[in-house]
Amino acid sequence: MVAAPGRVVVATDDNNAVLGTANMYANRPNQGAHVASGSFMVAAPARGRGVGRALVRDMIAWTTASGFSSIQFNAVAASNEAATRLYTSEGFRIIGSATGGFIHPSLGPVDLLILWRDLP
Ligand SMILES: CC(C)(COP(=O)(O)OP(=O)(O)OC[C@H]1O[C@@H](n2cnc3c(N)ncnc32)[C@H](O)[C@@H]1OP(=O)(O)O)[C@@H](O)C(=O)NCCC(=O)NCCS
């Protein structure tokens, strides 16, 4: 959960079972508050059905309507193919990489990517 003016959403099925969630907020305070950030999580059995894409599109719509100028994801593990593909297919581009910034439990050190998307 994040405090207002940040926002938390859930994606549900027709029976109101929660399939996934996202939060969104200003990436930095004050002079950095025009850039949004957020995170996403879809329940393992519900993955691969478009829930993550719906949550990302909801975030893009909300951050645009709220007046943010861009979105920055600060730490996406390079091994996270699902997340990287989802974000880049929704207009995000990789703008940086912290070498070995994440100690993956089975892969060991993997790069941490920074992704960026300008908003209209
Ligand atoms: C990343 C995550 C949110 C994606 O959610 P999802 O509901 O499975 O994603 P979608 O079904 O909407 O898929 C959207 C796109 O992501 C990519 N993708 C999804 N699952 C993938 C997989 N297993 N392998 C490769 N690409 C994948 C595809 O490009 C897909 O588009 P397509 O269906 O047109 O091919 C989900 O895997 C998750 O919760 N992972 C664990 C938490 C996490 O890593 N969060 C992000 C941290 S940065």
Side-chain angles (χ1 to χ4, degrees):
M1 301 294 287
V2 296
R7 176 171 173 259
V8 179
V9 297
V10 293
T12 63
D13 66 13
D14 292 340
N15 298 314
N16 282 332
V18 173
L19 304 178
T21 184
N23 61 22
M24 51 207 81
Y25 44 82
N27 190 44
R28 304 287 301 163
N30 304 317
Q31 272 62 40
H34 58 297
V35 180
S37 192
S39 57
F40 304 87
M41 181 169 57
V42 174
R47 290 179 193 166
R49 289 197 262 146
V51 175
R53 191 179 297 287
L55 290 166
V56 170
R57 288 183 175 177
D58 174 84
M59 182 200 189
I60 292 168
W62 180 79
T63 50
T64 300
S66 300
F68 288 98
S69 63
S70 49
I71 301 171
Q72 177 174 322
F73 294 143
N74 302 301
V76 180
S79 55
N80 194 341
E81 191 180 340
T84 307
R85 279 197 189 184
L86 169 59
Y87 300 151
T88 54
S89 72
E90 289 294 334
F92 289 82
R93 59 194 166 91
I94 297 167
I95 60 168
S97 173
T99 306
F102 180 70
I103 307 295
H104 190 282
S106 57
L107 300 175
V110 298
D111 294 351
L112 268 187
L113 307 177
I114 302 169
L115 279 83
W116 182 275
R117 188 191 197 282
D118 291 313
L119 295 174

CSV table of all heavy atoms in Angstrom, one decimal, residues 19-21 38-44 46-56 73 75-77 80-90, ligand 1:
chain,number,residue,atom,x,y,z
A,19,LEU,N,-6.7,-10.9,-8.8
A,19,LEU,CA,-5.7,-11.6,-9.6
A,19,LEU,C,-4.4,-10.9,-9.6
A,19,LEU,O,-3.4,-11.6,-9.9
A,19,LEU,CB,-6.2,-11.6,-11.1
A,19,LEU,CG,-7.6,-12.2,-11.3
A,19,LEU,CD1,-8.0,-12.1,-12.8
A,19,LEU,CD2,-7.6,-13.7,-10.8
A,20,GLY,N,-4.4,-9.6,-9.3
A,20,GLY,CA,-3.1,-8.9,-9.3
A,20,GLY,C,-3.3,-7.5,-8.7
A,20,GLY,O,-4.4,-7.1,-8.5
A,21,THR,N,-2.2,-6.9,-8.5
A,21,THR,CA,-2.2,-5.5,-7.9
A,21,THR,C,-1.1,-4.7,-8.4
A,21,THR,O,-0.1,-5.2,-8.9
A,21,THR,CB,-2.1,-5.7,-6.4
A,21,THR,OG1,-2.3,-4.4,-5.8
A,21,THR,CG2,-0.8,-6.3,-5.9
A,38,GLY,N,6.2,2.9,-9.8
A,38,GLY,CA,5.2,2.0,-9.4
A,38,GLY,C,5.7,0.5,-9.5
A,38,GLY,O,6.8,0.3,-9.8
A,39,SER,N,4.8,-0.4,-9.1
A,39,SER,CA,5.2,-1.8,-9.2
A,39,SER,C,4.0,-2.6,-9.4
A,39,SER,O,2.8,-2.2,-9.1
A,39,SER,CB,6.0,-2.2,-7.9
A,39,SER,OG,5.2,-2.0,-6.7
A,40,PHE,N,4.2,-3.9,-9.8
A,40,PHE,CA,3.1,-4.8,-10.3
A,40,PHE,C,3.4,-6.2,-9.8
A,40,PHE,O,4.5,-6.6,-9.7
A,40,PHE,CB,3.1,-4.8,-11.8
A,40,PHE,CG,2.9,-3.4,-12.4
A,40,PHE,CD1,4.0,-2.7,-12.7
A,40,PHE,CD2,1.7,-2.9,-12.7
A,40,PHE,CE1,3.9,-1.4,-13.2
A,40,PHE,CE2,1.5,-1.7,-13.3
A,40,PHE,CZ,2.7,-0.9,-13.5
A,41,MET,N,2.2,-6.8,-9.5
A,41,MET,CA,2.3,-8.2,-9.0
A,41,MET,C,1.1,-9.0,-9.5
A,41,MET,O,0.0,-8.5,-9.1
A,41,MET,CB,2.5,-8.2,-7.5
A,41,MET,CG,2.6,-9.6,-6.9
A,41,MET,SD,3.2,-9.4,-5.2
A,41,MET,CE,1.9,-8.4,-4.5
A,42,VAL,N,1.2,-10.0,-10.2
A,42,VAL,CA,0.1,-10.8,-10.6
A,42,VAL,C,0.2,-12.2,-10.0
A,42,VAL,O,1.3,-12.8,-10.0
A,42,VAL,CB,0.0,-11.0,-12.2
A,42,VAL,CG1,-1.1,-11.9,-12.6
A,42,VAL,CG2,-0.2,-9.6,-12.8
A,43,ALA,N,-0.9,-12.7,-9.4
A,43,ALA,CA,-0.8,-14.1,-8.8
A,43,ALA,C,-0.4,-15.1,-9.8
A,43,ALA,O,-0.8,-15.1,-11.0
A,43,ALA,CB,-2.2,-14.4,-8.3
A,44,ALA,N,0.5,-16.0,-9.4
A,44,ALA,CA,1.1,-17.0,-10.3
A,44,ALA,C,0.1,-17.7,-11.2
A,44,ALA,O,0.3,-17.8,-12.4
A,44,ALA,CB,2.0,-18.0,-9.6
A,46,ALA,N,-2.6,-16.7,-12.3
A,46,ALA,CA,-3.3,-15.8,-13.2
A,46,ALA,C,-2.4,-15.1,-14.3
A,46,ALA,O,-2.9,-14.3,-15.1
A,46,ALA,CB,-4.0,-14.7,-12.4
A,47,ARG,N,-1.2,-15.5,-14.3
A,47,ARG,CA,-0.2,-14.9,-15.2
A,47,ARG,C,-0.4,-15.4,-16.6
A,47,ARG,O,-0.9,-16.4,-16.9
A,47,ARG,CB,1.2,-15.2,-14.7
A,47,ARG,CG,1.6,-14.4,-13.5
A,47,ARG,CD,3.0,-14.7,-13.0
A,47,ARG,NE,3.1,-14.2,-11.6
A,47,ARG,CZ,4.1,-14.6,-10.8
A,47,ARG,NH1,5.1,-15.3,-11.2
A,47,ARG,NH2,4.1,-14.1,-9.5
A,48,GLY,N,0.0,-14.5,-17.5
A,48,GLY,CA,0.0,-14.9,-19.0
A,48,GLY,C,-1.4,-14.7,-19.6
A,48,GLY,O,-1.6,-15.2,-20.7
A,49,ARG,N,-2.3,-14.0,-18.9
A,49,ARG,CA,-3.6,-13.8,-19.4
A,49,ARG,C,-4.0,-12.3,-19.6
A,49,ARG,O,-5.1,-12.0,-19.8
A,49,ARG,CB,-4.7,-14.4,-18.4
A,49,ARG,CG,-4.7,-15.9,-18.4
A,49,ARG,CD,-6.0,-16.4,-17.7
A,49,ARG,NE,-5.8,-16.7,-16.3
A,49,ARG,CZ,-6.7,-16.5,-15.4
A,49,ARG,NH1,-7.9,-15.9,-15.7
A,49,ARG,NH2,-6.5,-16.8,-14.1
A,50,GLY,N,-3.0,-11.5,-19.6
A,50,GLY,CA,-3.2,-10.0,-19.8
A,50,GLY,C,-3.5,-9.2,-18.6
A,50,GLY,O,-3.8,-8.0,-18.8
A,51,VAL,N,-3.4,-9.8,-17.4
A,51,VAL,CA,-3.7,-9.0,-16.2
A,51,VAL,C,-2.6,-7.9,-16.0
A,51,VAL,O,-2.9,-6.8,-15.7
A,51,VAL,CB,-3.8,-9.9,-15.0
A,51,VAL,CG1,-4.0,-9.1,-13.7
A,51,VAL,CG2,-5.0,-10.9,-15.1
A,52,GLY,N,-1.3,-8.4,-16.2
A,52,GLY,CA,-0.2,-7.4,-16.0
A,52,GLY,C,-0.3,-6.3,-17.0
A,52,GLY,O,-0.1,-5.1,-16.6
A,53,ARG,N,-0.6,-6.6,-18.2
A,53,ARG,CA,-0.8,-5.5,-19.2
A,53,ARG,C,-1.9,-4.6,-18.9
A,53,ARG,O,-1.8,-3.3,-19.0
A,53,ARG,CB,-1.0,-6.1,-20.6
A,53,ARG,CG,-0.9,-5.1,-21.7
A,53,ARG,CD,-1.1,-5.7,-23.1
A,53,ARG,NE,-0.2,-6.7,-23.5
A,53,ARG,CZ,1.1,-6.5,-23.9
A,53,ARG,NH1,1.6,-5.2,-23.9
A,53,ARG,NH2,1.9,-7.5,-24.2
A,54,ALA,N,-3.0,-5.1,-18.4
A,54,ALA,CA,-4.1,-4.2,-18.0
A,54,ALA,C,-3.7,-3.3,-16.9
A,54,ALA,O,-4.1,-2.1,-16.8
A,54,ALA,CB,-5.3,-5.1,-17.6
A,55,LEU,N,-2.9,-3.8,-15.9
A,55,LEU,CA,-2.5,-3.0,-14.8
A,55,LEU,C,-1.5,-1.9,-15.3
A,55,LEU,O,-1.5,-0.8,-14.8
A,55,LEU,CB,-1.8,-3.9,-13.7
A,55,LEU,CG,-2.8,-4.8,-12.9
A,55,LEU,CD1,-2.0,-5.8,-12.2
A,55,LEU,CD2,-3.6,-4.0,-12.0
A,56,VAL,N,-0.6,-2.3,-16.2
A,56,VAL,CA,0.4,-1.3,-16.7
A,56,VAL,C,-0.4,-0.2,-17.5
A,56,VAL,O,-0.1,1.0,-17.3
A,56,VAL,CB,1.4,-2.0,-17.6
A,56,VAL,CG1,2.2,-0.9,-18.3
A,56,VAL,CG2,2.3,-2.8,-16.8
A,73,PHE,N,10.9,3.2,-13.8
A,73,PHE,CA,11.0,2.0,-13.0
A,73,PHE,C,12.4,1.9,-12.6
A,73,PHE,O,13.3,1.8,-13.5
A,73,PHE,CB,10.5,0.8,-13.8
A,73,PHE,CG,9.0,0.8,-14.1
A,73,PHE,CD1,8.6,0.3,-15.3
A,73,PHE,CD2,8.1,1.3,-13.2
A,73,PHE,CE1,7.2,0.3,-15.6
A,73,PHE,CE2,6.7,1.3,-13.5
A,73,PHE,CZ,6.3,0.8,-14.7
A,75,ALA,N,14.2,-0.4,-10.7
A,75,ALA,CA,14.9,-1.6,-10.4
A,75,ALA,C,14.2,-2.8,-11.0
A,75,ALA,O,13.4,-3.5,-10.3
A,75,ALA,CB,15.1,-1.8,-8.9
A,76,VAL,N,14.4,-3.1,-12.3
A,76,VAL,CA,13.8,-4.3,-12.9
A,76,VAL,C,15.0,-5.3,-13.1
A,76,VAL,O,15.9,-5.0,-13.9
A,76,VAL,CB,13.1,-4.0,-14.2
A,76,VAL,CG1,12.5,-5.2,-14.8
A,76,VAL,CG2,12.1,-2.9,-14.0
A,77,ALA,N,14.9,-6.5,-12.5
A,77,ALA,CA,16.0,-7.5,-12.7
A,77,ALA,C,16.0,-7.9,-14.2
A,77,ALA,O,15.0,-8.2,-14.7
A,77,ALA,CB,15.7,-8.7,-11.8
A,80,ASN,N,14.2,-10.9,-15.3
A,80,ASN,CA,12.8,-10.9,-15.3
A,80,ASN,C,12.2,-10.6,-16.7
A,80,ASN,O,11.8,-9.5,-17.0
A,80,ASN,CB,12.3,-9.8,-14.3
A,80,ASN,CG,10.8,-10.0,-14.0
A,80,ASN,OD1,10.1,-10.7,-14.7
A,80,ASN,ND2,10.4,-9.4,-12.8
A,81,GLU,N,12.3,-11.6,-17.5
A,81,GLU,CA,11.9,-11.5,-18.9
A,81,GLU,C,10.4,-11.1,-19.1
A,81,GLU,O,10.1,-10.2,-19.9
A,81,GLU,CB,12.1,-12.8,-19.6
A,81,GLU,CG,12.1,-12.7,-21.1
A,81,GLU,CD,12.3,-14.1,-21.8
A,81,GLU,OE1,12.9,-15.0,-21.2
A,81,GLU,OE2,11.9,-14.2,-23.0
A,82,ALA,N,9.6,-11.6,-18.2
A,82,ALA,CA,8.1,-11.3,-18.4
A,82,ALA,C,8.0,-9.8,-18.1
A,82,ALA,O,7.3,-9.1,-18.9
A,82,ALA,CB,7.3,-12.1,-17.4
A,83,ALA,N,8.5,-9.2,-17.1
A,83,ALA,CA,8.4,-7.8,-16.8
A,83,ALA,C,9.0,-6.9,-17.8
A,83,ALA,O,8.4,-6.0,-18.3
A,83,ALA,CB,9.0,-7.5,-15.4
A,84,THR,N,10.2,-7.3,-18.3
A,84,THR,CA,10.9,-6.5,-19.2
A,84,THR,C,10.2,-6.4,-20.6
A,84,THR,O,10.0,-5.4,-21.2
A,84,THR,CB,12.4,-7.0,-19.4
A,84,THR,OG1,13.0,-7.1,-18.2
A,84,THR,CG2,13.2,-6.1,-20.3
A,85,ARG,N,9.7,-7.6,-21.0
A,85,ARG,CA,8.9,-7.6,-22.3
A,85,ARG,C,7.6,-6.8,-22.1
A,85,ARG,O,7.2,-6.1,-23.1
A,85,ARG,CB,8.6,-9.1,-22.6
A,85,ARG,CG,9.7,-9.8,-23.3
A,85,ARG,CD,9.2,-11.0,-24.0
A,85,ARG,NE,10.3,-11.9,-24.4
A,85,ARG,CZ,10.1,-13.0,-25.1
A,85,ARG,NH1,8.9,-13.4,-25.4
A,85,ARG,NH2,11.1,-13.7,-25.5
A,86,LEU,N,6.9,-7.0,-21.0
A,86,LEU,CA,5.7,-6.3,-20.8
A,86,LEU,C,5.9,-4.8,-20.9
A,86,LEU,O,5.3,-4.1,-21.6
A,86,LEU,CB,5.1,-6.7,-19.4
A,86,LEU,CG,3.9,-5.8,-18.9
A,86,LEU,CD1,2.8,-5.9,-19.9
A,86,LEU,CD2,3.4,-6.3,-17.6
A,87,TYR,N,6.9,-4.3,-20.1
A,87,TYR,CA,7.1,-2.9,-20.1
A,87,TYR,C,7.6,-2.3,-21.4
A,87,TYR,O,7.1,-1.3,-21.9
A,87,TYR,CB,8.2,-2.5,-19.0
A,87,TYR,CG,7.8,-2.9,-17.6
A,87,TYR,CD1,8.8,-3.3,-16.6
A,87,TYR,CD2,6.5,-3.0,-17.2
A,87,TYR,CE1,8.5,-3.6,-15.4
A,87,TYR,CE2,6.2,-3.4,-15.9
A,87,TYR,CZ,7.2,-3.7,-15.0
A,87,TYR,OH,6.9,-4.1,-13.7
A,88,THR,N,8.5,-3.0,-22.1
A,88,THR,CA,9.0,-2.4,-23.3
A,88,THR,C,7.9,-2.5,-24.4
A,88,THR,O,7.8,-1.6,-25.3
A,88,THR,CB,10.3,-3.2,-23.8
A,88,THR,OG1,10.0,-4.6,-23.9
A,88,THR,CG2,11.5,-2.9,-22.9
A,89,SER,N,7.0,-3.4,-24.3
A,89,SER,CA,5.9,-3.5,-25.3
A,89,SER,C,4.9,-2.4,-25.0
A,89,SER,O,4.0,-2.1,-25.9
A,89,SER,CB,5.2,-4.9,-25.3
A,89,SER,OG,4.5,-5.1,-24.1
A,90,GLU,N,4.9,-1.8,-23.8
A,90,GLU,CA,4.0,-0.7,-23.5
A,90,GLU,C,4.7,0.7,-23.6
A,90,GLU,O,4.3,1.7,-23.0
A,90,GLU,CB,3.4,-0.9,-22.1
A,90,GLU,CG,2.4,-2.0,-22.1
A,90,GLU,CD,1.1,-1.8,-22.9
A,90,GLU,OE1,0.8,-0.6,-23.2
A,90,GLU,OE2,0.6,-2.8,-23.4
B,1,LIG,C1,5.6,-9.4,-14.6
B,1,LIG,C2,4.1,-9.7,-14.4
B,1,LIG,C3,3.4,-8.6,-13.6
B,1,LIG,C4,3.4,-9.9,-15.8
B,1,LIG,O1,2.0,-10.1,-15.5
B,1,LIG,P1,1.1,-11.1,-16.5
B,1,LIG,O2,-0.3,-10.9,-16.1
B,1,LIG,O3,1.6,-12.4,-16.5
B,1,LIG,O4,1.4,-10.4,-17.9
B,1,LIG,P2,0.5,-10.4,-19.2
B,1,LIG,O5,-0.2,-11.7,-19.3
B,1,LIG,O6,-0.3,-9.2,-19.2
B,1,LIG,O7,1.6,-10.4,-20.4
B,1,LIG,C5,2.0,-9.2,-20.9
B,1,LIG,C6,3.3,-9.4,-21.7
B,1,LIG,O8,4.4,-9.8,-20.8
B,1,LIG,C7,5.3,-10.7,-21.4
B,1,LIG,N1,5.2,-11.9,-20.7
B,1,LIG,C8,4.3,-12.3,-19.8
B,1,LIG,N2,4.7,-13.5,-19.3
B,1,LIG,C9,5.9,-13.9,-19.9
B,1,LIG,C10,6.7,-15.0,-19.7
B,1,LIG,N3,6.5,-16.0,-18.9
B,1,LIG,N4,7.9,-15.0,-20.5
B,1,LIG,C11,8.1,-14.0,-21.4
B,1,LIG,N5,7.3,-12.9,-21.5
B,1,LIG,C12,6.2,-12.9,-20.8
B,1,LIG,C13,4.7,-10.9,-22.8
B,1,LIG,O9,5.4,-9.9,-23.7
B,1,LIG,C14,3.3,-10.6,-22.7
B,1,LIG,O10,2.7,-10.1,-23.9
B,1,LIG,P3,2.0,-11.2,-24.9
B,1,LIG,O11,1.0,-12.0,-24.0
B,1,LIG,O12,1.3,-10.3,-25.9
B,1,LIG,O13,3.0,-12.0,-25.4
B,1,LIG,C15,4.0,-11.1,-13.6
B,1,LIG,O14,4.8,-12.1,-14.3
B,1,LIG,C16,4.4,-11.0,-12.2
B,1,LIG,O15,3.6,-10.7,-11.3
B,1,LIG,N6,5.7,-11.4,-11.9
B,1,LIG,C17,6.2,-11.4,-10.5
B,1,LIG,C18,6.3,-10.0,-9.9
B,1,LIG,C19,7.1,-9.2,-10.8
B,1,LIG,O16,8.1,-9.6,-11.3
B,1,LIG,N7,6.7,-7.9,-10.9
B,1,LIG,C20,7.4,-6.9,-11.7
B,1,LIG,C21,8.6,-6.5,-11.0
B,1,LIG,S1,9.6,-5.3,-11.9
